[in-house]
Amino acid sequence: MIVAWIKKDKLRCVVSYVLLIKNFMIKKILIFNILVFALFSCENNGERDMQKPVIEIISPQSCVELQRGESFTFRAQFSDNVELGSYNIEIHHNFDHHSHSTDNVECELDEKKTPVKAWADNWNYTIPKGQKTFEANNEIPIPADIDAGDYHFMVRLTDKSGWQQLAAVSVKIILSDIHF
Amino acid sequence: MNRIKRGNILLFIVLTFFVQAFAQNKSDTIVSLDEIVVEGNSRRAILMKSPQNVVSVGQAFLKQNFAGSLMQSLEKIPGVQAMSIGSGQSKPAIRGLGFNRMLVAENGVKHEGQQWGDDHGLEIDRFALDNVEIIKGAGTLHYGSDAISGVINLKSSYIPQKNFEGEINLFGRTNNESTGLSARMGGRRNGFWYRANLTLTDYADYKVPADSIQYYSYYIKLKNRRLRNTAGKEHNGGLHLGYLSDKFLTTLYLSDVYTKSGFFADAHGLEVRLSEINYDRSRRDIDLPRHTVNHFKVMNHTSYRIDNLTVEGDFAFQNNFRQEFSEPVSHGYMPTPPNALERQYNKNTFTANLCAKFLLAEKHHIHAGFNGEHQNNRRGGWGFIIPDFRTTALGAFVFDKWEISENLIVSGGVRFDYILTEIDEYRDWYETYKIRSEKLKRNFNSITYALGVNYDLNNWNFKTNFGKSFRAPIPKELGSDGVNYHIFRYEKGNTGLQPEESYQLDAGVNWHNEKLDIQLEPFVNFFPNYIYLNPTSGYYEGLQMYYYTQTHVFRWGFEFNVNYKIISQLELNMSGDYLYARQLSGDKQGYTLPFSPPASATFGVKYSPQTKWAGKDGYVSMDFRAVAPQNEIVPPENATAGYGLLNAAAGCTFSIGARHALPLRITLQANNLLNRRYYDHTSFYRLIDVPEAGRNFSIMLGFNF
């Protein structure tokens, strides 16, 4: 019954295991040895994807100041050894100075504060099928009525096999309506 | 390819050792007992007891291998793994399967905590145990759902022999500056007896051989190489009251295990955190994030014997109360929560087991029984992972052990289980008010069976067991539909999941004489519907989407143990394990299963001089544990490099006081002597690249009175 479920190359493994059990009974240690070798060689390392995708953020850069009510461009170079999956970009406040930073740059943060109307949003994007590289280019509008301050801009990227890579950028959103 | 070759070479060395050992052993001296098997029975009787591979260890083993947690001590047994959560707690696993795929029982009653959780350790007072029995392979027949890869049965059935007796142990470990006290006392008068035990432990943040932790190119600097906020403490107490006559035995067990421990402060789950809390102020304080767990148990075991019929009953109530606290932080659509109580679980479990054992036609040992269990789990806190649920499980089994001859035993049995699971609805407590778990009622039926043979021939002993086991899907797998912020993922349950079934063929081959004992335990295992949390390439609500699905899984592996007594004072030991797992269908076809332990081998030498100064039980031992790299991974795991660890231990008993009346036992241990920086593939902190504990010395002083 078990055999029915096991596909082609696995059959060999199971057959050799049955032989192995049989051979325990007749105490043929050397045959056991050979069969264990055969089992080890059942390993099929062929097509499994074992690599995470790669994110290279072009913009926004760390510690950049963005103006409220305006748009900014998210640009990044994605790559994977097999096939890219999809990506998500997310923004949330860092008024409490927690951190997700994935680069070593430390930005100068404003005083800690309690959010009134913090910006929290995220966007899912798909990548056309079959791509090993992709350049993301998305226009992100910044709402005009949100709290200014320190924010985290998170990028998450998957490949087709489900490996995920993360990257984060700290940005500062400033008021656009300051006039001197 | 390289890895396969290396595996072959390792195997070749192992097998060559076997062959040479065979060739060398001819002479007869005293009876050798496998170090791990310490039951006072002959080797043969132990081997013939069950068609399954059973390892049994006593208090002496637990003391000689004293570690941060019970499972870290048991990890010395090939095929047993500890999934560590910091230095003081760990989860059990047998042959790479943990969580709800193995079962922990205390005195035969299933231990019910929050086994599904990544960071919920095993709530047990190891000092209250007399004996730990590990059954490898399908254990469903006697224990019901979950006992797929095996059973760890913790026993505390010792009955005091004197009017008053007791034991005090004091212990300390250098790495996490742990100190502790454990006291046991008991007494017996006529048929009545009592036992009481108390254990107190307190430990500081543990030390790793690293100045910083590099995780996603984020540098977390460590002060004095300590992992911030991993301190903890444990307060346990227990009381046994019993009565024994020649036909009747009853014991009432009461116990409470309380643990409070911190989680590494700079990352909670996978999420890197900065905090205003001054963690470096003290290495002994337990700040946020942390959890407290209290496990209360009351159990009764009663047995009554009439001629060759024994009737036994076990009745138990358990309450598992866990709270996890972390700094309230807004996440996605969730605003900043009002307090630090992130998760709370309050689970009550009632168990009733009844069974009868009798001898039929002088050769058939019949064991038939009924198990009933009811659980009620209620949640709290602002972080949602599992909904409230209730489950009722009923099972009945019959098992026959047929002694065909002195050398040949055939055993087999069949079991039926019915499990009803009711899940409550859960909605977000904030703006979205989204339903995260639908109201659901499911029932699961399962028929399981086992068939085994024991055969003994001169120095050889063979056993084989084929068994089907199962587990009912748990509420997390059925009902979850939400974000797990700690692991940065969106988890989607599947209300249509079928009970997970496993078919396993186990074998045990033993060859022993007075000097040499060789044990080989291979197994092959197939799941037609393994419940797997599959990471996809898609995003949902901002996080990677994972969904529960069922796949075909094939596994095989083996453990071995070779004990060679060169002379009566000097013993060599070699043990190891290997595991192979493949998903044969579904999205991750060709990949392994999560948390697959890498192959490992331990080489040990033990010298027991048996001289006047060292006493009867004095010993010095050293072992080297080699662990292969684990490159067999599945998203989101990281490959783990191989490593070697050097450990040493010594112990002896002195007699002090007037007329040497007070025996004082000293046990010393040194772990990771070379202070190697290494990663344990199955550790909770592996995903955030936190290395395992550095060099550690531990001491235990014990007085018996």
Side-chain angles (χ1 to χ4, degrees):
Chain A
M1 176 186 52
I2 290 176
V3 171
W5 268 301
I6 295 172
K7 290 173 187 167
K8 295 172 217 161
D9 55 40
K10 304 295 170 195
L11 189 67
R12 191 160 47 94
C13 307
V14 174
V15 170
S16 52
Y17 189 83
V18 173
L19 288 172
L20 186 142
I21 294 292
K22 232 174 138 184
N23 280 296
F24 274 140
M25 298 304 177
I26 54 169
K27 309 176 222 168
K28 291 275 167 74
I29 298 295
L30 279 174
I31 292 178
F32 157 66
N33 195 348
I34 291 161
L35 286 170
V36 170
F37 272 61
L39 266 171
F40 269 83
S41 57
C42 290
E43 300 221 12
N44 172 14
N45 267 347
E47 310 81 40
R48 281 175 304 153
D49 175 14
M50 296 301 238
Q51 280 180 40
K52 290 181 181 179
V54 179
I55 303 172
E56 222 178 292
I57 298 178
I58 301 162
S59 78
Q61 292 193 334
S62 276
C63 313
V64 78
E65 293 189 342
L66 303 169
Q67 284 198 343
R68 198 171 76 167
E70 293 190 358
S71 287
F72 69 94
T73 308
F74 166 67
R75 277 185 64 209
Q77 185 68 40
F78 298 148
S79 58
D80 185 58
N81 60 324
V82 179
E83 184 178 339
L84 289 163
S86 55
Y87 67 103
N88 172 278
I89 50 185
E90 191 227 332
I91 194 138
H92 61 251
H93 76 80
N94 185 26
F95 302 166
D96 51 3
H97 295 188
H98 73 280
S99 177
H100 302 283
S101 179
T102 62
D103 57 355
N104 263 324
V105 186
E106 285 191 21
C107 309
E108 213 171 283
L109 298 176
D110 295 347
E111 291 282 292
K112 276 194 169 193
K113 63 178 182 183
T114 313
V116 181
K117 194 179 180 195
W119 189 22
D121 211 342
N122 77 81
W123 303 268
N124 296 336
Y125 300 96
T126 51
I127 295 170
K129 281 201 161 67
Q131 302 297 307
K132 283 191 177 182
T133 58
F134 183 76
E135 200 186 305
N137 193 329
N138 305 97
E139 198 73 1
I140 314 278
I142 306 172
D145 58 347
I146 54 148
D147 297 347
D150 296 302
Y151 282 87
H152 278 147
F153 186 69
M154 298 277 299
V155 182
R156 302 187 175 98
L157 171 70
T158 58
D159 68 11
K160 197 169 164 270
S161 313
W163 293 108
Q164 179 176 239
Q165 188 64 264
L166 310 181
V169 182
S170 295
V171 297
K172 200 184 286 288
I173 292 176
I174 55 167
L175 301 176
S176 54
D177 48 1
I178 296 175
H179 298 287
F180 296 98
Chain B
M1 272 316 285
N2 251 342
R3 192 172 42 74
I4 297 167
K5 268 188 192 153
R6 241 179 287 146
N8 279 344
I9 291 165
L10 182 77
L11 244 152
F12 195 78
I13 295 167
V14 167
L15 291 164
T16 312
F17 183 93
F18 271 80
V19 173
Q20 295 205 338
F22 271 98
Q24 279 174 12
N25 111 81
K26 286 265 146 71
S27 58
D28 297 350
T29 43
I30 51 163
V31 176
S32 127
L33 270 183
D34 181 356
E35 193 193 330
I36 282 171
V37 179
V38 294
E39 278 189 342
N41 215 331
S42 85
R43 190 82 179 100
R44 185 181 170 280
I46 294 165
L47 289 166
M48 293 298 276
K49 219 169 117 182
S50 163
Q52 294 194 285
N53 291 310
V54 180
V55 181
S56 183
V57 298
Q59 262 294 337
F61 176 90
L62 296 179
K63 281 175 186 147
Q64 285 181 15
N65 296 289
F66 176 65
S69 67
L70 172 68
M71 286 316 302
Q72 286 167 11
S73 299
L74 296 177
E75 204 175 24
K76 292 245 170 171
I77 299 167
V80 176
Q81 291 94 27
M83 304 169 86
S84 293
I85 309 148
S87 66
Q89 287 176 87
S90 38
K91 296 180 75 68
I94 296 176
R95 290 165 166 168
L97 298 182
F99 302 93
N100 291 72
R101 287 190 184 88
M102 54 94 50
L103 187 146
V104 176
E106 195 176 3
N107 297 313
V109 172
K110 188 180 176 191
H111 180 83
E112 283 286 357
Q114 304 286 348
Q115 298 97 306
W116 57 270
D118 295 326
D119 50 3
H120 307 213
L122 183 59
E123 310 88 346
I124 288 291
D125 179 3
R126 57 199 140 143
F127 290 96
L129 305 175
D130 301 317
N131 184 270
V132 178
E133 187 182 79
I134 293 155
I135 303 165
K136 297 184 203 170
T140 291
L141 194 70
H142 290 101
Y143 291 91
S145 176
D146 296 13
I148 288 176
S149 68
V151 177
I152 296 182
N153 193 9
L154 310 166
K155 295 179 176 177
S156 53
S157 49
Y158 170 75
I159 298 170
Q161 300 301 310
K162 299 186 220 163
N163 274 354
F164 180 71
E165 61 184 58
E167 183 185 348
I168 292 175
N169 288 295
L170 293 166
F171 49 89
R173 291 165 61 78
T174 56
N175 181 282
N176 60 0
E177 294 173 18
S178 152
T179 53
L181 162 90
S182 175
R184 260 169 90 147
M185 57 183 248
R188 180 177 175 180
R189 213 156 276 188
N190 305 322
F192 294 94
W193 88 84
Y194 75 96
R195 264 176 70 173
N197 61 278
L198 176 78
T199 304
L200 305 169
T201 313
D202 190 285
Y203 52 92
D205 299 347
Y206 74 98
K207 269 192 276 191
V208 293
D211 296 312
S212 69
I213 284 160
Q214 199 183 339
Y215 169 58
Y216 275 123
S217 75
Y218 184 87
Y219 286 87
I220 298 165
K221 292 179 194 86
L222 301 180
K223 191 193 170 199
N224 300 330
R225 303 189 145 198
R226 278 179 197 277
L227 274 189
R228 274 178 205 102
N229 201 43
T230 54
K233 57 179 155 193
E234 209 179 303
H235 301 161
N236 312 323
L239 180 69
H240 299 189
L241 298 170
Y243 174 75
L244 174 72
S245 72
D246 58 343
K247 287 188 170 169
F248 180 73
L249 166 73
T250 187
T251 315
L252 180 73
Y253 303 88
L254 285 158
S255 68
D256 193 74
V257 173
Y258 171 82
T259 312
K260 177 179 178 181
S261 65
F263 292 117
F264 179 43
D266 296 80
H268 197 33
L270 296 183
E271 183 182 0
V272 174
R273 287 283 185 94
L274 281 188
S275 171
E276 283 292 284
I277 297 171
N278 182 10
Y279 292 106
D280 295 333
R281 178 183 60 219
S282 158
R283 57 182 185 266
R284 293 203 91 88
D285 66 345
I286 305 165
D287 234 309
L288 298 170
R290 66 164 184 270
H291 71 167
T292 57
V293 190
N294 193 79
H295 198 101
F296 171 77
K297 247 183 212 178
V298 51
M299 292 199 278
N300 173 263
H301 173 81
T302 300
S303 75
Y304 186 67
R305 190 163 52 85
I306 326 156
D307 300 327
N308 62 28
L309 170 73
T310 308
V311 182
E312 292 182 16
D314 288 288
F315 307 93
F317 167 74
Q318 306 175 54
N319 173 265
N320 187 285
F321 184 69
R322 178 182 188 266
Q323 289 184 308
E324 181 173 335
F325 300 91
S326 68
E327 279 184 272
V329 173
S330 70
H331 262 122
Y333 297 109
M334 183 180 78
T336 306
N339 55 40
L341 181 64
E342 183 175 1
R343 298 169 188 175
Q344 175 180 300
Y345 301 110
N346 191 359
K347 180 162 155 182
N348 290 326
T349 306
F350 300 87
T351 311
N353 296 336
L354 284 171
C355 76
K357 293 172 182 168
F358 56 94
L359 192 64
L360 195 75
E362 293 195 341
K363 296 212 157 174
H364 293 270
H365 298 265
I366 309 287
H367 182 192
F370 162 83
N371 312 115
E373 189 200 75
H374 179 77
Q375 290 179 32
N376 185 351
N377 197 41
R378 296 185 67 79
R379 60 162 304 287
W382 44 265
F384 173 76
I385 296 190
I386 61 161
D388 288 350
F389 68 87
R390 288 164 301 287
T391 60
T392 304
L394 302 171
F397 68 92
V398 58
F399 183 77
D400 178 13
K401 187 177 166 189
W402 180 21
E403 282 188 44
I404 296 172
S405 73
E406 207 173 286
N407 296 335
L408 182 65
I409 299 172
V410 173
S411 46
V414 61
R415 181 187 175 97
F416 178 75
D417 280 278
Y418 167 83
I419 296 177
L420 173 72
T421 300
E422 288 175 276
I423 297 173
D424 291 345
E425 184 185 276
Y426 178 83
R427 282 171 187 272
D428 282 343
W429 56 270
Y430 47 88
E431 221 172 82
T432 55
Y433 303 111
K434 209 189 140 185
I435 294 179
R436 295 296 177 186
S437 164
E438 303 253 15
K439 197 173 166 60
L440 179 73
K441 196 171 177 175
R442 287 271 323 257
N443 57 61
F444 307 99
N445 297 315
S446 184
I447 292 173
T448 48
Y449 45 81
L451 184 68
V453 180
N454 287 59
Y455 181 62
D456 193 72
L457 182 78
N458 304 324
N459 299 74
W460 291 89
N461 188 288
F462 301 93
K463 49 170 81 178
T464 184
N465 187 69
F466 178 76
K468 181 192 170 196
S469 44
F470 90 107
R471 71 178 183 96
I474 56 172
K476 182 173 187 276
E477 295 161 340
L478 292 165
S480 63
D481 187 9
V483 170
N484 184 340
Y485 280 108
H486 292 183
I487 326 271
F488 280 138
R489 68 190 180 199
Y490 191 95
E491 295 174 3
K492 179 101 179 87
N494 181 346
T495 52
L497 292 175
Q498 291 305 307
E500 185 176 279
E501 293 176 331
S502 158
Y503 298 87
Q504 185 159 324
L505 180 65
D506 271 277
V509 182
N510 180 271
W511 191 95
H512 61 277
N513 70 2
E514 292 73 14
K515 285 200 145 193
L516 184 68
D517 189 307
I518 301 171
Q519 175 83 18
L520 180 69
E521 300 175 352
F523 74 97
V524 55
N525 173 216
F526 178 71
F527 288 88
N529 53 7
Y530 184 97
I531 299 172
Y532 175 66
L533 182 59
N534 182 39
T536 68
S537 63
Y539 283 94
Y540 192 74
E541 291 189 11
L543 288 170
Q544 190 180 0
M545 171 69 133
Y546 283 57
Y547 68 93
Y548 282 100
T549 179
Q550 297 193 289
T551 65
H552 298 169
V553 167
F554 172 76
R555 306 183 332 125
W556 80 274
F558 62 87
E559 294 92 47
F560 68 88
N561 188 51
V562 181
N563 226 55
Y564 182 44
K565 223 160 202 177
I566 304 171
I567 48 171
S568 66
Q569 292 95 334
L570 190 64
E571 208 178 335
L572 292 180
N573 182 276
M574 179 169 78
S575 62
D577 46 31
Y578 171 81
L579 175 74
Y580 170 97
R582 274 286 175 281
Q583 301 192 38
L584 302 181
S585 67
D587 236 29
K588 296 294 178 288
Q589 185 176 347
Y591 286 91
T592 187
L593 291 174
F595 300 111
S596 287
S600 73
T602 306
F603 306 87
V605 52
K606 186 173 181 181
Y607 178 61
S608 321
Q610 292 167 352
T611 55
K612 206 177 165 191
W613 60 268
K616 260 187 186 167
D617 57 357
Y619 67 94
V620 184
S621 72
M622 192 151 225
D623 67 63
F624 180 74
R625 182 175 166 83
V627 179
Q630 185 55 290
N631 295 312
E632 282 296 319
I633 52 168
V634 58
E637 294 185 321
N638 294 318
T640 303
Y643 56 92
L645 291 181
L646 193 64
N647 305 309
C652 69
T653 307
F654 298 100
S655 289
I656 51 167
R659 290 186 214 138
H660 301 281
L662 260 186
L664 166 67
R665 196 185 55 252
I666 300 182
T667 314
L668 298 165
Q669 262 200 92
N671 314 102
N672 194 3
L673 264 173
L674 305 176
N675 206 24
R676 272 291 300 266
R677 179 176 179 161
Y678 71 101
Y679 298 89
D680 180 347
H681 191 69
T682 60
S683 157
F684 175 65
Y685 287 129
R686 172 68 194 102
L687 280 176
I688 49 168
D689 283 335
V690 172
E692 294 301 301
R695 188 183 294 125
N696 174 62
F697 296 98
S698 64
I699 182 167
M700 187 188 288
L701 300 175
F703 305 91
N704 284 62
F705 51 86

